[in-house]
Amino acid sequence: QVQLVESGGGLVQPGGSLRLSCAASGAIFGIYDMSWYRQAPGKQRELVAVMTSGGFTNYADSVKGRFTISRVTAKNTVYLQMNSLEPEDTAVYYCKLRYRPGYDYWGQGTQVTVSS
């Protein structure tokens, strides 16, 4: 069993910043592909950022240049630094751990609200 605990969400004004964290615990035996997703009301869940076990990253076009995914391996923690936030970024943000092909673990989600 793997548990993912997300934190760092909240209310921020447009142009502000937030840093989300996702701490993994349980049956962790290495470095895994990790992703951040988000889901806005009435929208499908969308992929925001990916970091592979090899350290490669990729981002949705809508967040390129504003969001950065990173990790601290010793803490089994993945982060999402979000800068220049826009109202369109308002969503519940989820982290996902790819444990094996076709076998994923998800965090509980953390709310990010961008509003003036």
Side-chain angles (χ1 to χ4, degrees), residues 18-63:
L18 285 173
R19 183 176 64 192
L20 308 183
S21 64
C22 177
S25 62
I28 301 171
F29 303 105
I31 303 174
Y32 304 89
D33 292 353
M34 298 289 296
S35 302
W36 285 95
Y37 289 74
R38 67 186 181 187
Q39 187 167 23
K43 301 287 188 178
Q44 293 288 109
R45 187 172 297 185
E46 66 172 342
L47 179 64
V48 175
V50 177
M51 175 171 281
T52 72
S53 61
F56 294 99
T57 60
N58 199 15
Y59 300 89
D61 288 342
S62 59
V63 307

Side-chain angles (χ1 to χ4, degrees), residues 1 5 7 26 29 32-34 37 46 51-52 54 58 67 69 72 77-78 86 89 93 96 98 110:
Q1 182 86 305
V5 179
S7 61
F29 303 105
Y32 304 89
D33 292 353
M34 298 289 296
Y37 289 74
E46 66 172 342
M51 175 171 281
T52 72
N58 199 15
F67 290 11
I69 186 171
V72 178
T77 301
V78 176
E86 305 167 353
D89 297 316
Y93 284 72
K96 184 190 77 175
R98 173 57 59 88
T110 185

